Amino acid sequence: MDKETRDMLLETAGRFFTERCDRAVVNNVEKGEWPADLWKEIEEMGLPLIAVPEDKGGVGGTLADMLALLRLAGEHAVPVPLAETALANLLIAAAGGEPKPGPATLALGNLKLSGGRLTGKILRVPFAGVAERFVCVVDKTLVVVGKGAAKVEATPSHAGEPYGSVTFDNATAEFSGASAVSAERAFELAAVMRAMQMAGAADRVLATAVEYSKQRVQFGKPISTFQAIQHMLAELASCVAATIASAEAASRDADEGGLADGGAFSIAAAKSQCSDFAHRISAIAHQSMGAMGFTHEHVLHHYTRRLWVWRRDFGSESFWGEKIGAAYAKAGPDALWPSLSASRYPA
Amino acid sequence: MSIPKLEFPPFHLPPEAEALRLEVRAFLKEAVPRIKTEDRFASWNTPSPEFSRELGKKGWIGITWPKQYGGSEKSFLERYVVTEELLGNGAPAGAHWVADRQSGPLLLRFGSQEQRDAILPRITAGECFFSIGMSEPDSGSDLASVRTRAEPVPGGFRVNGTKVWTSGAHRNHYCITLVRTSGQHGDRHKGLSQLLVDLKTPGVTIRPIINLAGRHDWNEVTFTDAFIPESCLIGNEGDGWLQVTSELAFERSGPERFMQNFYVLRELVRVLGRNPSGRAAAILGRLIARLWTLRQMSVAVAGMMQGGKSPAIEAALVKDLGTIYQQDLPEIARVISESDATTEDDMADFLDIAQYATMMAPSYTIQGGTTQVLRGIVARGLGLR
Ligand SMILES: Cc1cc2nc3c(=O)[nH]c(=O)nc-3n(C[C@H](O)[C@H](O)[C@H](O)COP(=O)(O)OP(=O)(O)OC[C@H]3O[C@@H](n4cnc5c(N)ncnc54)[C@H](O)[C@@H]3O)c2cc1C
């Protein structure tokens, strides 16, 4: 997708999200309602097929195009599995399959495949409660299992989205094919996807807090005129900028390096960094908004609660930090700078 | 809802910069162990005139400047790579750092032809070193309140006043000094000028100020009826404030604001050994991820500068994040090493390093603009003031 096309798509999608993902829609998802109309419109716009090639009925965008869209979705707390479905469809197409309509999600982790049947249990699968199908990568095989062949125990996330654990017990595949990516890589791609959503949500948290500070009057003036608030929001801006910068750098590296293994280290570093800063970002934003920001009425929690959930999805800072730390320790001190400055794991 | 965006678009250093990196790295691999310095862990403020001369011979000081001054007319991005390699490889680059980073560029931009011809070739040769004469006893964050007075007299200025915290003045050749040349103390930004002061000038007295680690880096520089010739005025009389703020942009944006104590991270990798516990690895990895992020942001700022923008707010933001990281690093490293060092000997050695780094850490968030000053700049960028 050239830059102009991407900008146009993002602008259209941004306008659409602003109009259709309002507070009520997000809150209703939390009450357990599935926004069927919203999903239908998202599909009509082709968004879940953004990174599926045109000859497979997709939009023909790159991984980077998809990730840019998902940052935007994060900025609007879009309460449907657009991210999960877009990545699932990309992986299905890359494995020679035909993406189908309907919400999908990723069930990534320790699974066994034998005789074409899938066995194992994955915890905290995003949108497990509403997904039509689950996409898994086992060894070098991509397996798609329909919801009828899986057992889902719903445990909504702390942001109120229908997460849950998924059990496959000798489940039959709806589709299976040679995966374009390893299981580990699928997890990495899911991590950069979440990092970009976190970047979007963090951006919105900053905008919300800055806006509020200009409107809220205490002691006869907007609180934005208090130096304490200015400095808090400046620190917030730094944490948000770092979140966005790391996610964008990882997104670029993942895209440029190719689907199979591009930007492996950058993704790990970015997801660690984004997860790490989620705490400071939400802590400062909430502090600066007083009781109002702590209400269910205000939208701030749509973003801060997602940050708290997303930082744990597809590897927390502990997970990715350990992976980076173990690799760098193994290579020893002399490899530190050459590897870090090349954005890669030590050889 | 719209607020000004502070974005750091991912930026690739170009191939010529990456090629230069390998050259610089190969040189440092040989030169750094050979050159003895007073510091075990050298950084951008560890001076070694010997090292600076060698770097000058390579053409890596004033690398962006015109060839007529001994520069190489390379891009700002190539300079970026040289600086980060110096930091990443523990080079004692302190002698020429300020001259290369801000004094030379200031003279290039505002200096007279005579000043440029006299000074710049000596800087690029690694033979001429600079101090920064901004702060005074009563003027720190509030720099515009400086009182050092340069009174116009026939042929030049008679200077009286005191500068403090003047790093390296006891070793360096010149000090670019911010003075009041006209108007009154309360005039703030008006009536200030910058003078190129030869530190050997009669009437200029340099006394050491020792920092908490017992080091003599700082000085008090007193001017008592010191005569500074007119030819040493930099730029126009009265333009000092404009010039000094452009100098601060150079001072704030570099990788030295998050790599000053890179040796702590390096030594942490050593002390944790090749096979650390999961907990120790996670802490190490998170630190590496933080540093990587800072580097992505700083490279993005370099890209903006190369593109002709002046990202002053972005630079302040990176310095704020970077110096806080540098302050956290020795502390996090100490705590994890206490539980996870591989041997007692390694541990003793590492605690020594961490202790030294801990003593130096308070300075990071003060020099070059305090955290609070930087946050004021970022807040202005957010439209809050
Ligand atoms: C290692 C080191 C090297 C240095 N080298 C040099 C050098 O070579 N040349 C040189 O000229 N200077 C040098 N400095 C001085 C440095 O520029 C000043 O220390 C710095 O500008 C802060 O000034 P100050 O120390 O007077 O602190 P002050 O300005 O007195 O600040 C004290 C505290 O008050 C806060 N504060 C001040 N104003 C405000 C405000 N408006 N709002 C909120 N908080 C505020 C500050 O953030 C700080 O926390 C060096 C400093 C250090 C630490």
Side-chain angles (χ1 to χ4, degrees):
Chain A
M1 209 179 274
D2 58 30
K3 189 178 172 317
E4 210 179 311
T5 318
R6 184 202 285 195
D7 288 349
M8 238 163 61
L9 184 134
L10 293 179
E11 207 197 299
T12 313
R15 237 180 300 120
F16 170 77
F17 293 151
T18 308
E19 281 166 22
R20 296 287 287 107
C21 291
D22 57 12
R23 202 165 59 86
V25 173
V26 181
N27 283 339
N28 286 342
V29 166
E30 196 174 330
K31 288 188 208 136
E33 270 174 43
W34 168 244
D37 290 350
L38 174 68
W39 180 258
K40 193 160 152 263
E41 286 176 74
I42 285 179
E43 282 197 331
E44 278 162 13
M45 291 171 76
L47 301 183
L49 300 172
I50 181 165
V52 170
E54 279 163 314
D55 59 14
K56 297 218 174 221
V59 177
T62 60
L63 180 62
D65 295 328
M66 179 187 98
L67 292 169
L69 172 69
L70 299 181
R71 174 175 161 188
L72 192 65
E75 203 177 321
H76 292 269
V78 174
V80 291
L82 171 58
E84 291 79 1
T85 309
L87 180 55
N89 286 342
L90 179 161
L91 295 176
I92 291 171
E98 293 281 341
K100 297 203 184 119
T105 191
L106 307 152
L108 303 175
N110 201 4
L111 295 169
K112 268 210 213 53
L113 189 64
S114 105
R117 285 162 178 270
L118 195 65
T119 301
K121 181 173 182 178
I122 310 285
L123 303 176
R124 292 187 80 246
V125 174
F127 294 95
V130 296
E132 297 285 333
R133 58 190 63 84
F134 301 95
V135 171
C136 318
V137 180
V138 189
D139 300 325
K140 280 277 166 197
T141 309
L142 180 118
V143 186
V144 182
V145 178
K147 69 171 175 192
K151 194 172 129 239
V152 175
E153 282 162 88
T155 35
S157 77
H158 288 117
E161 288 179 328
Y163 281 36
S165 61
V166 180
T167 309
F168 305 107
D169 184 8
N170 234 7
T172 343
E174 185 179 288
F175 167 82
S176 71
S179 177
V181 301
S182 65
E184 200 184 344
R185 178 60 175 175
F187 197 72
E188 257 169 34
L189 291 170
V192 67
M193 161 191 104
R194 271 297 187 268
M196 282 294 266
Q197 289 174 281
M198 293 181 81
D203 212 359
R204 176 54 68 91
V205 168
L206 174 64
T208 305
V210 167
E211 203 66 24
Y212 185 81
S213 76
K214 290 179 185 169
Q215 268 143 30
R216 173 69 175 166
V217 173
Q218 283 294 281
F219 299 97
K221 47 191 174 183
I223 59 168
S224 66
T225 60
F226 301 137
Q227 195 190 49
I229 294 286
Q230 291 173 356
H231 286 191
M232 284 161 66
L233 294 180
E235 189 195 347
L236 174 61
S238 303
C239 298
V240 169
T243 298
I244 296 173
S246 67
E248 285 283 353
S251 166
R252 174 202 60 181
D253 292 351
D255 182 65
E256 288 181 1
L259 188 64
D261 59 5
F265 170 79
S266 303
I267 293 171
K271 186 61 170 64
S272 169
Q273 177 68 91
C274 293
S275 298
D276 239 332
F277 268 152
H279 166 67
R280 271 318 277 153
I281 290 171
S282 38
I284 299 171
H286 277 292
Q287 182 63 22
S288 75
M289 290 178 61
M292 182 55 76
F294 192 62
T295 60
H296 199 271
E297 176 76 15
H298 197 281
V299 295
L300 180 63
H301 70 88
H302 287 167
Y303 303 94
T304 53
R305 286 166 70 205
R306 276 177 176 73
L307 287 176
W308 290 326
V309 171
W310 288 347
R311 68 178 165 181
R312 294 189 56 220
D313 285 356
F314 305 112
S316 65
E317 64 272 44
S318 301
F319 175 90
W320 291 111
E322 184 173 342
K323 201 159 149 56
I324 293 170
Y328 272 74
K330 186 153 179 259
D334 289 345
L336 173 62
W337 174 243
S339 308
L340 181 65
S341 58
S343 296
R344 58 172 167 71
Y345 286 113
Chain B
M1 199 165 4
S2 105
I3 60 161
K5 287 263 178 203
L6 293 173
E7 291 258 356
F8 296 78
F11 185 81
H12 273 309
L13 292 166
E16 62 275 14
E18 292 299 342
L20 178 61
R21 178 193 304 286
L22 300 182
E23 231 184 290
V24 175
R25 202 173 273 174
F27 165 75
L28 294 177
K29 200 168 176 200
E30 183 274 319
V32 171
R34 177 164 51 77
I35 292 168
K36 296 272 167 290
T37 64
E38 61 187 82
D39 276 6
R40 240 173 101 209
F41 293 100
S43 185
W44 66 277
N45 38 18
T46 304
S48 163
E50 182 194 351
F51 177 80
S52 293
R53 262 194 310 278
E54 291 206 23
L55 205 68
K57 283 205 192 85
K58 292 298 238 177
W60 293 336
I61 302 177
I63 192 170
T64 62
W65 308 352
K67 293 212 165 101
Q68 67 184 111
Y69 307 122
S72 308
E73 301 186 3
K74 290 193 189 301
S75 73
F76 186 79
L77 303 171
E78 283 159 295
R79 177 178 184 276
Y80 186 90
V81 162
V82 174
T83 34
E84 67 168 358
E85 285 303 313
L86 292 171
L87 294 160
N89 292 286
H96 69 273
W97 197 274
V98 166
D100 175 73
R101 177 181 71 191
Q102 66 194 84
S103 318
L106 184 84
L107 290 173
L108 259 178
R109 190 150 163 215
F110 301 109
S112 67
Q113 194 56 49
E114 185 193 333
Q115 288 165 355
R116 293 186 208 162
D117 290 339
I119 306 273
L120 297 181
R122 289 167 58 210
I123 295 181
T124 52
E127 288 172 356
C128 181
F129 310 131
F130 272 72
S131 285
I132 302 167
M134 296 186 192
S135 307
E136 296 183 3
D138 292 328
S139 303
S141 301
D142 183 14
L143 185 57
S145 69
V146 289
R147 289 164 194 271
T148 297
R149 195 143 194 123
E151 198 188 328
V153 293
F157 301 90
R158 184 167 48 230
V159 183
N160 282 288
T162 303
K163 294 288 171 183
V164 282
W165 326 127
T166 323
S167 303
H170 55 307
R171 298 182 286 252
N172 296 341
H173 303 92
Y174 293 94
C175 179
I176 294 185
T177 310
L178 183 67
V179 295
R180 177 160 289 289
T181 42
S182 61
Q184 298 304 313
H185 170 63
D187 284 355
R188 309 284 303 163
H189 302 172
K190 282 188 298 189
L192 299 179
S193 303
Q194 286 184 303
L195 297 178
L196 173 63
V197 173
D198 183 335
L199 285 164
K200 297 251 153 39
T201 305
V204 175
T205 314
I206 300 170
R207 291 190 204 89
I209 303 176
I210 307 299
N211 70 20
L212 65 74
R215 285 173 60 115
H216 175 201
D217 293 332
W218 274 335
N219 301 276
E220 177 195 70
V221 179
T222 317
F223 296 81
T224 317
D225 286 335
F227 176 75
I228 305 294
E230 199 171 353
S231 61
C232 291
L233 174 69
I234 302 172
N236 296 320
E237 194 277 319
D239 281 354
W241 184 254
L242 175 98
Q243 294 175 196
V244 91
T245 41
S246 90
E247 199 182 336
L248 283 171
F250 290 110
E251 189 173 338
R252 287 185 181 145
S253 58
E256 66 266 36
R257 299 309 183 182
F258 52 91
M259 284 184 67
Q260 180 155 7
N261 59 6
F262 182 71
Y263 62 85
V264 177
L265 192 62
R266 210 188 133 87
E267 295 309 306
L268 179 64
V269 173
R270 191 189 308 285
V271 76
L272 292 180
R274 301 280 166 144
N275 197 11
S277 72
R279 175 191 51 177
I283 287 172
L284 173 64
R286 284 165 65 186
L287 287 168
I288 292 174
R290 246 172 111 177
L291 182 56
W292 174 82
T293 301
L294 285 161
R295 182 171 180 273
Q296 300 310 306
M297 299 175 87
S298 169
V299 169
V301 170
M304 293 181 221
M305 287 170 89
Q306 179 66 20
K309 300 199 185 103
S310 38
I313 296 162
E314 289 83 352
L317 189 153
V318 177
K319 182 182 182 273
D320 182 16
L321 273 177
T323 50
I324 300 274
Y325 157 79
Q326 289 192 149
Q327 222 156 50
D328 289 347
L329 172 61
E331 207 45 28
I332 296 172
R334 177 187 62 80
V335 171
I336 191 64
S337 70
E338 301 236 24
S339 59
D340 281 75
T342 39
T343 71
E344 292 272 317
D345 280 357
D346 282 353
M347 181 58 191
D349 196 46
F350 184 74
L351 280 183
D352 215 30
I353 296 159
Q355 192 54 45
Y356 174 71
T358 301
M359 289 196 290
M360 298 312 286
S363 67
Y364 305 147
T365 50
I366 298 169
Q367 61 187 352
T370 68
T371 306
Q372 288 67 37
V373 164
L374 299 171
R375 289 189 181 165
I377 294 171
V378 175
R380 183 167 293 129
L382 291 172
L384 297 175
R385 39 187 299 241

